[in-house]
Amino acid sequence: MAMLTIDFDPYTVVISVFLVLIFKQLISTIGKSTIQEFIWLSYIQLGTRFNLTPNFTQLHLKKQELHEINKQKRSISAQDQYAKWTKLNRKCDSLTKEIQDLNEIISGNKVKINKLTGLVIMVVTTLPLWFFRIFARKTHLFYLSEGVFPWYVERLLAFPFFPSGTIGLTVWMYAVNSVISSIIFILSFPFKHKPSKPIKPTKSEKIVGVKE
């Protein structure tokens, strides 16, 4: 049974795939973990502002309360005011346990947010490409003028489904990825960490090196 193909307009495929590949390369350059951390921090800020994340508010209040109790404990003597010190110590232990529980809940929420962010990234950058790979795999995107390239180059550019002189999705995606990667590299190169300049060893250092 032949696999279903859809008769796409070539310009639709070209532009759609181009935009998806740009977005994918940008995400790859920024880093998935960086994006996840940004989404998580945004979630915290918005949730705190609109009171949608009560666990963060509780955690902040509990930490403040624990800080105050520890100050009170340090201000009194455990021997002279044993009853009060013991009461504060029990409350301190209880608050510490509550803070640990809240931290575990928040960590679990962070894992869920990161998974959701990763899923969205995958859906936006991977599924559209697979969709076009499957359903637009036989769509002719460009035609070459006869005799522009040798026959073996034309055959390579027509890989894998097309007659010579035709360019399809596979070659187009490879070309776009190469160009975008080169542009991103050129633009980001000035901002990369520069290696330290090698220092020529002194005469004494050379002598020590030889002896060793």
Side-chain angles (χ1 to χ4, degrees), residues 183-200:
I183 291 173
I184 290 176
F185 174 77
I186 292 170
L187 293 177
S188 62
F189 182 78
F191 304 100
K192 290 184 180 292
H193 177 70
K194 293 182 179 179
S196 56
K197 185 178 179 180
I199 300 174
K200 187 177 179 181

Side-chain angles (χ1 to χ4, degrees), residues 2 88-89 168 173:
L88 289 172
N89 192 55
M173 288 177 61

Side-chain angles (χ1 to χ4, degrees), residues 95-145:
L95 282 170
T96 302
K97 179 66 171 59
E98 289 178 21
I99 289 171
Q100 288 176 350
D101 293 340
L102 286 169
N103 277 326
E104 288 179 4
I105 293 171
I106 290 171
S107 296
N109 289 338
K110 185 176 182 179
V111 170
K112 291 177 183 177
I113 294 293
N114 285 345
K115 283 184 178 179
L116 181 60
T117 304
L119 180 62
V120 171
I121 290 173
M122 186 197 72
V123 168
V124 172
T125 61
T126 304
L127 289 186
L129 296 180
W130 278 108
F131 174 82
F132 285 114
R133 277 173 178 160
I134 294 171
F135 296 107
R137 69 189 186 282
K138 293 187 177 180
T139 300
H140 301 70
L141 301 182
F142 302 101
Y143 296 98
L144 299 173
S145 299

Side-chain angles (χ1 to χ4, degrees), residues 3 7-8 58 87 94-95 100 105 121 135-136 140 148 151-152 154 162 169 176 179 187 190 193 201 204 211-212:
M3 189 178 291
D7 188 18
F8 285 102
Q58 290 179 27
K87 184 180 178 181
S94 176
L95 282 170
Q100 288 176 350
I105 293 171
I121 290 173
F135 296 107
H140 301 70
V148 172
W151 68 268
Y152 50 87
E154 289 186 355
F162 304 99
L169 184 60
V176 171
V179 171
L187 293 177
H193 177 70
S204 58
K211 286 181 178 180
E212 290 178 350

Side-chain angles (χ1 to χ4, degrees), residues 28 32 40 91 114:
S28 178
K32 182 180 173 182
W40 172 246
K91 197 167 184 181
N114 285 345

Side-chain angles (χ1 to χ4, degrees), residues 3-4 42 46 49 70 81 87 93 125 143 162-163 168 212:
M3 189 178 291
L4 175 66
S42 301
L46 291 174
R49 181 177 300 177
N70 281 326
Q81 296 175 283
K87 184 180 178 181
D93 292 340
T125 61
Y143 296 98
F162 304 99
E212 290 178 350

